[in-house]
């Protein structure tokens, strides 16, 4: 090939690349201008608007006006330089050097995302203000069109407003937790001072809060708030805004320095606070909009009458006898037919001054104990045809966790011998539960739980009788919210509905969106019915008698967590029966309710009559919910038949007794089964000093996950 030909090819290739490059620019430019042509109009009224979101209950009655109660705007002249330095240090180092978008910042974020396989934003402070004012924060809305519009409006704003004005808009727009909007409002309510009178560490705290205001709330999350404030101070020092001496003094200042007691001035009653927190979170999850900074009308599923009654049950002695004022409770009530959360409360005697603090009703940091057995062990065993009747015979005998030499203990350290599946649930025996999980298999059990909205990073055999996980993330483990929704599937013929707090939103532009969960089949109708039949006996002849209501068809399960031997020896001063958590989960044909009780400090044990509180809370609420609308009993579906007190699948094998073996196989042979073809089993429950209030103590082997987040 001669040089002339090579040159000609190179020339044509170069021209081709140039044409393609120019075409890409033209096309990209055309697309960009098409997107920005549909951008909202930039207006100062939007930037300074006092955003207010109205919240309604299930009867369309106004229950809260969020955003209207606490807002004091700061003038540009009232904003101290140290606050400006703190904000730009943590949010936008190059704020004073760009014109709305920062190509260097975007490139840096792109490279960091490549290295970390994560998602780090490249938005400037101006773009964040535009996002707060006009757009959703949902990941699904992070489209090219939205990004183009955001960038365009940021460029326009930088042309029409000074940097000082933009900062002022931002400082007055952000949400600062506890019902405070804008940093001047927060300064006055947190410290009783104006911004200009605050110290450097106080200003650094305020500057760091907007990214996650409730998480960095110094009242409810002092450790996280301290960490965030110190990060702001570190960035300020790196940018040259603080000397080494100023930095050391600031980071050694307690986060509580200057904080005053919060004043309760919410526009809604305190019994709604926990529920509204979940409304806020679900709105952002479902739409990407933060209703605290974006005006909208939100119609929720809360029944105010039920919510108020739950508050009264928690905070008075009229309905339940509490051992002391410190025993805590958390519960969720859902409509089993649709998953609507009609009431939820995360604590007793909660402060009326703190807005949207910790809601224990949705936290997964406490162990739900034996309430896990129905959904982890026995329902999957019925679903996958490992067991074919409620009379299926199990052995409650000495047994080790599969693959270990660690024994599984029952609450009484005793054994019942041959018992039916129904008795195993009714008397909350641990050995049959763990053996059942082994027969089901961890993978199948995990899949079944996923269908009920419950997950673990990794399942272990201790999860047969415990909800403990190795991860603190709320998406793992169990909570009252998750348990109420999971048990609702039993009540609803096997259909699971995601818990829903909201049913409709009307946005500021007049558009609206309705929310409902159609439900998914989590188990066969036959499985749900058989589990219900067995858990009925827990209330009238088992260990859940405190929840029994003679006139109301219902089913449920108790749960008790346990301390480790080390905790008992070193921290728990009592040596009679104690536990960190006591639970009850139950349901009727209409409602499902999950109740947790325990102390905020896990090492403060539940004792004596404290074990009865969870079931008593449940009973009190179910009586109230059902007194005017008796929901009736369940109807046995096709595919089942009844013999005496037991329910059988069509084609069920003759009743037989399996032998407990320490093998990983579930293959049944003549050597591992013994048939009884003549009659149903006659089980006599031994009377061995059983304590009817506390019979379901979990015993977790040391190699299994320790309780998470408990202190």
């Amino acid at each position: 090939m001669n040089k002339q030909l090579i040159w000609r090819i190179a020339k044509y290739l170069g021209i081709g690349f140039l044409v393609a490059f120019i075409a890409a620019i033209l096309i990209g430019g055309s697309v960009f201008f098409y997107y920005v042509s549909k951008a909202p109009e930039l207006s100062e009224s939007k930037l300074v608007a006092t955003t207010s979101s109205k919240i309604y209950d299930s009867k369309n009655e106004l229950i809260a006006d969020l955003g209207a109660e606490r807002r004091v705007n700061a003038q540009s002249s009232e904003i101290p330089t140290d606050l400006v330095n703190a904000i730009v240090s943590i949010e936008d180092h190059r704020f004073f050097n760009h014109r709305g978008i920062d190509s260097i910042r975007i490139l840096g974020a792109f490279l960091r995302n490549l290295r970390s396989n994560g998602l780090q934003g490249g938005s400037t402070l101006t773009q964040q203000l535009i996002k707060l004012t006009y757009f959703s924060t949902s990941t699904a809305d992070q489209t090219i069109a939205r990004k183009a519009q955001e960038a365009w409006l940021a460029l326009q704003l930088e042309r029409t407003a000074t940097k000082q004005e933009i900062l002022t808009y931002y400082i007055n727009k952000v949400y600062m937790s506890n019902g405070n909007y804008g940093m001047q409002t927060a300064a006055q309510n947190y410290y009783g001072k104006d911004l200009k009178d605050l110290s450097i560490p106080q200003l650094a705290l305020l500057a760091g809060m907007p990214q996650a205001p409730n998480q960095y709330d110094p009242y409810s999350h002092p450790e996280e708030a301290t960490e965030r404030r110190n990060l702001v101070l570190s960035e300020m020092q790196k940018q040259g805004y603080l000397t080494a001496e100023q930095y050391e003094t600031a980071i050694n200042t307690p986060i509580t320095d200057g904080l005053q007691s919060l004043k309760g001035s919410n526009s809604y009653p305190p019994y709604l606070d926990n529920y509204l927190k979940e409304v806020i979170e679900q709105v952002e999850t479902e739409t990407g909009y933060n209703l605290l900074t974006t005006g909208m009308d939100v119609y929720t599923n809360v029944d105010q009458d039920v919510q108020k009654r739950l508050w009264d049950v928690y905070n008075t002695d009229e309905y339940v006898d509490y051992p002391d004022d410190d025993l805590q409770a958390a519960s969720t009530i859902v409509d089993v037919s649709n998953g609507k959360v009609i009431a939820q409360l995360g604590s007793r005697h909660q402060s009326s001054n703190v807005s949207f603090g910790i809601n224990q009703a949705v936290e997964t940091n406490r162990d739900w104990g034996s309430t896990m057995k129905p959904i982890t062990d026995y329902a999957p065993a019925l679903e996958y045809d490992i067991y074919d009747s409620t009379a299926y015979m199990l052995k409650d005998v000495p047994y080790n966790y599969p693959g270990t030499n660690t024994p599984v203990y029952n609450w009484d350290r005793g054994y019942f011998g041959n018992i039916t599946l129904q008795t195993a649930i009714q008397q909350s025996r641990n050995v049959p539960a763990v053996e059942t999980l082994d027969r089901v298999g961890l993978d199948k059990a995990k899949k079944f739980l996923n269908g009920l909205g419950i997950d673990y990073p990794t399942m272990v055999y201790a999860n047969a009788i415990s909800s403990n996980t190795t991860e603190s993330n709320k998406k793992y483990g169990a909570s009252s919210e998750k348990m109420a929704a999971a048990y609702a599937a039993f009540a609803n013929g096997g259909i699971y509905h995601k818990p829903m707090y909201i049913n409709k939103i009307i946005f500021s532009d007049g558009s609206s969106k309705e929310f409902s969960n159609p439900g998914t089949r989590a188990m066969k109708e036959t499985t749900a019915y058989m589990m219900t039949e067995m858990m009925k006996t827990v209330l009238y002849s088992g260990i859940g008698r405190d929840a029994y209501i003679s006139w109301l068809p219902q089913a449920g399960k108790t749960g008790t967590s346990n301390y480790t031997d080390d905790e008992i020896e070193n921290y728990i001063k009592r040596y009679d029966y104690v536990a960190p958590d006591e639970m009850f989960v139950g349901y009727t044909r209409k409602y499902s309710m999950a109740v947790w009780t325990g102390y905020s400090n896990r090492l403060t044990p539940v004792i004596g009559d404290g074990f009865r509180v969870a079931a008593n809370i449940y009973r009190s609420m179910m009586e109230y919910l059902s007194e005017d609308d008796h929901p009736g009993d369940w109807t046995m579906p096709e595919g089942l038949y009844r013999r005496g007190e037991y329910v059988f699948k069509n084609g069920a094998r003759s009743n037989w007794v399996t032998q407990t073996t320490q093998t990983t196989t579930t293959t049944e042979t003549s050597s591992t089964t013994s048939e009884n073809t003549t009659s149903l089993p006659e089980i006599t429950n031994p009377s061995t000093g059983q304590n009817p209030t506390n019979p379901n103590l979990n015993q977790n082997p040391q190699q299994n996950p320790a309780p998470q987040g408990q202190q």
Side-chain angles (χ1 to χ4, degrees):
M1 187 178 296
N2 58 43
K3 291 184 179 179
Q4 187 176 7
L5 180 59
I6 294 174
W7 171 250
R8 187 178 299 162
I9 293 172
K11 181 174 69 173
Y12 287 142
L13 286 173
I15 293 172
F17 282 126
L18 180 61
V19 170
F21 179 73
I22 295 172
I25 292 176
L26 292 173
I27 294 171
S30 299
V31 172
F32 176 81
F33 283 108
Y34 172 76
Y35 289 148
V36 301
S37 68
K38 298 182 178 296
E41 183 180 353
L42 188 69
S43 74
E44 186 177 17
S45 62
K46 286 275 190 181
L47 294 166
V48 301
T50 55
T51 304
S52 174
S53 290
K54 292 181 172 60
I55 316 298
Y56 299 85
D57 67 7
S58 59
K59 299 176 183 176
N60 299 333
E61 295 180 1
L62 181 68
I63 56 177
D65 189 351
L66 302 180
E69 67 274 18
R70 292 185 185 174
R71 189 183 298 272
V72 181
N73 286 341
Q75 302 299 314
S76 296
S77 59
E78 299 172 328
I79 299 172
T81 302
D82 286 330
L83 178 60
V84 173
N85 293 339
I87 293 172
V88 299
S89 293
I90 194 64
E91 298 291 352
D92 188 355
H93 293 169
R94 292 173 44 81
F95 175 71
F96 293 105
N97 298 317
H98 62 67
R99 301 305 298 172
I101 58 175
D102 188 351
S103 55
I104 296 176
R105 182 180 176 92
I106 294 171
L107 179 61
F110 175 74
L111 294 174
R112 286 191 294 273
N113 292 336
L114 286 179
R115 289 195 298 267
S116 64
N117 196 32
L119 184 61
Q120 182 171 348
S123 297
T124 64
L125 191 64
T126 311
Q127 287 175 283
Q128 292 180 46
L129 173 62
I130 293 295
K131 187 184 298 181
L132 280 173
T133 306
Y134 293 100
F135 297 114
S136 158
T137 58
S138 170
T139 303
D141 287 339
Q142 304 300 310
T143 61
I144 296 176
R146 222 293 310 279
K147 284 293 185 182
Q149 294 172 2
E150 181 186 293
W152 174 255
L153 290 175
L155 290 169
Q156 295 298 108
L157 180 59
E158 291 271 357
R159 289 178 57 192
T160 59
T162 66
K163 293 289 187 179
Q164 189 178 34
E165 289 171 334
I166 293 170
L167 276 168
T168 303
Y169 293 143
Y170 176 83
I171 287 169
N172 290 330
K173 176 72 75 172
V174 292
Y175 179 64
M176 299 296 291
S177 191
N178 296 304
N180 295 290
Y181 296 81
M183 295 184 184
Q184 177 76 322
T185 314
Q188 293 183 357
N189 283 286
Y190 291 171
Y191 300 107
K193 300 178 179 179
D194 293 329
L195 286 171
K196 61 183 176 60
D197 299 319
L198 299 186
S199 67
I200 289 175
Q202 291 168 346
L203 292 170
L205 170 64
L206 298 184
M209 287 183 65
Q211 289 300 324
N214 292 328
Q215 181 181 340
Y216 302 135
D217 177 5
Y219 294 93
S220 55
H221 299 284
E223 293 182 0
E224 290 90 341
T226 301
E227 185 177 349
R228 179 66 172 175
R229 182 204 65 179
N230 290 349
L231 177 61
V232 175
L233 292 169
S234 175
E235 292 297 319
M236 290 178 72
Q237 186 191 30
K238 289 179 183 177
Q239 298 302 311
Y241 296 128
L242 295 180
T243 66
E245 183 179 357
Q246 286 175 312
Y247 172 72
E248 287 299 323
T249 300
I251 64 167
N252 288 311
T253 301
I255 199 68
T256 55
D257 180 58
L259 282 179
Q260 62 179 12
S261 299
L262 286 172
K263 300 175 182 178
S265 59
N266 292 326
S267 65
Y268 55 86
Y271 61 80
L272 288 171
D273 186 78
N274 288 156
Y275 195 100
L276 291 176
K277 180 182 180 183
E278 302 316 307
V279 169
I280 293 167
E281 292 196 7
Q282 191 161 73
V283 167
E284 186 158 9
T285 299
E286 296 290 338
T287 71
Y289 288 99
N290 185 338
L291 66 79
L292 296 171
T293 57
T294 307
M296 59 182 72
D297 292 342
V298 181
Y299 294 82
T300 73
N301 296 320
V302 67
D303 185 318
Q304 268 208 96
D305 294 334
V306 179
Q307 185 74 18
K308 180 62 166 60
R309 171 57 71 95
L310 186 59
W311 175 272
D312 291 341
V313 169
Y314 274 27
N315 296 293
T316 71
D317 293 325
E318 183 177 350
Y319 306 96
V320 174
D321 291 328
Y322 296 93
D324 52 61
D325 287 341
D326 293 328
L327 182 70
Q328 286 299 319
S331 58
T332 302
I333 305 173
V334 303
D335 185 325
V336 303
S337 67
N338 50 36
K340 293 182 178 181
V341 179
I342 67 167
Q344 184 180 86
L345 198 57
S347 66
R348 299 175 63 221
H349 307 303
Q350 64 186 55
S351 173
S352 60
N353 295 332
V354 177
S355 298
F356 315 134
I358 295 174
N359 178 12
Q360 188 60 44
V362 300
E363 296 293 326
T364 60
N365 59 353
R366 304 301 283 260
D367 184 9
W368 279 76
S370 293
T371 62
M372 302 306 298
K373 294 173 181 175
I375 56 178
T376 305
D377 313 320
Y378 299 121
L382 291 171
E383 182 73 6
Y384 302 131
D385 296 320
I386 297 170
Y387 301 154
D388 54 18
S389 76
T390 63
Y392 193 96
M393 296 299 295
L394 305 174
K395 280 192 177 258
D396 184 18
V397 298
Y399 179 80
N400 295 336
Y401 282 91
T404 77
N405 295 318
T406 305
V408 180
Y409 293 115
N410 292 308
W411 71 272
D412 55 1
R413 299 295 178 107
Y415 305 96
F416 283 7
N418 294 345
I419 59 175
T420 63
L421 172 58
Q422 181 164 289
T423 299
I425 294 175
Q426 182 190 101
Q427 302 301 323
S428 198
R429 308 305 287 174
N430 287 343
V431 168
V434 178
E435 185 186 12
T436 297
L437 177 57
D438 185 31
R439 300 187 67 184
V440 170
L442 294 176
D443 290 342
K444 282 187 175 181
K446 190 173 188 293
K447 179 181 178 183
F448 187 88
L449 285 169
N450 290 166
L452 294 172
I454 294 174
D455 194 17
Y456 296 99
T458 302
M459 275 198 72
V460 295
Y461 287 106
N463 288 135
I465 57 177
S466 167
S467 65
N468 286 333
T469 79
T470 56
E471 298 284 343
S472 61
N473 194 313
K474 283 198 304 184
K475 75 177 186 179
Y476 299 120
S479 65
S480 77
E481 175 200 63
K482 292 185 180 183
M483 295 302 287
Y487 273 58
F490 291 137
N492 195 35
I495 303 297
Y496 169 79
H497 293 273
K498 171 185 171 183
M500 295 298 299
Y501 299 86
I502 58 177
N503 64 63
K504 183 181 179 180
I505 295 177
I506 300 177
F507 299 96
S508 57
D509 63 359
S511 63
S512 64
K513 184 176 182 179
E514 294 187 2
F515 300 86
S516 63
N517 186 272
T520 56
R521 180 157 293 284
M523 69 191 82
K524 302 170 188 172
E525 190 175 4
T526 53
T527 299
Y529 183 83
M530 294 172 79
M531 290 301 304
T532 295
E533 285 294 292
M534 291 188 288
M535 285 192 285
K536 283 181 179 179
T537 71
V538 173
L539 278 72
Y540 62 75
S541 53
I543 58 178
R545 296 183 185 91
D546 282 323
Y548 179 66
I549 303 170
S550 61
W551 50 268
L552 181 64
Q554 55 175 339
K557 183 70 182 74
T558 59
T560 308
S561 67
N562 69 294
Y563 290 112
T564 64
D565 291 340
D566 179 71
E567 288 173 328
I568 291 288
E569 182 177 352
N570 293 300
Y571 302 105
I572 310 302
K573 304 306 179 185
R574 299 179 61 103
Y575 290 88
D576 53 351
Y577 191 87
V578 296
D581 312 279
E582 178 71 13
M583 289 72 57
F584 189 86
V585 187
Y587 55 92
T588 67
R589 285 186 61 196
K590 193 167 183 178
Y591 299 109
S592 175
M593 182 178 186
V595 185
W596 166 88
T597 58
Y599 291 88
S600 298
N601 182 349
R602 183 179 169 275
L603 294 178
T604 300
V606 179
I607 60 174
D609 286 342
F611 286 101
R612 307 180 64 181
V613 170
N616 286 337
I617 290 174
Y618 167 87
R619 187 189 68 248
S620 179
M621 289 304 302
M622 279 301 175
E623 285 178 334
Y624 171 75
L625 288 164
S626 306
E627 60 186 0
D628 296 326
D629 182 17
H630 294 200
D633 205 346
W634 289 266
T635 301
M636 187 167 64
E638 294 184 1
L640 301 175
Y641 68 93
R642 186 182 301 276
R643 271 180 79 187
E645 65 176 297
Y646 299 103
V647 177
F648 296 77
K649 296 181 183 179
N650 289 346
R653 292 157 290 181
S654 299
N655 199 53
W656 48 276
V657 180
T658 64
Q659 293 189 7
T660 304
T661 59
Q662 294 294 288
T663 65
T664 57
T665 180
T666 60
T667 302
E668 296 166 0
T669 66
S670 59
S671 64
T672 61
T673 63
S674 172
E675 290 194 358
N676 177 355
T677 60
T678 58
S679 63
L680 290 172
E682 295 183 0
I683 303 298
T684 302
N685 295 332
S687 177
T688 56
Q690 183 173 339
N691 183 346
T693 63
N694 315 319
N696 54 335
L697 172 67
N698 296 334
Q699 180 67 32
N700 298 340
Q702 294 180 355
Q703 76 275 11
N704 288 305
Q708 60 165 347
Q710 299 178 349
Q711 56 185 4

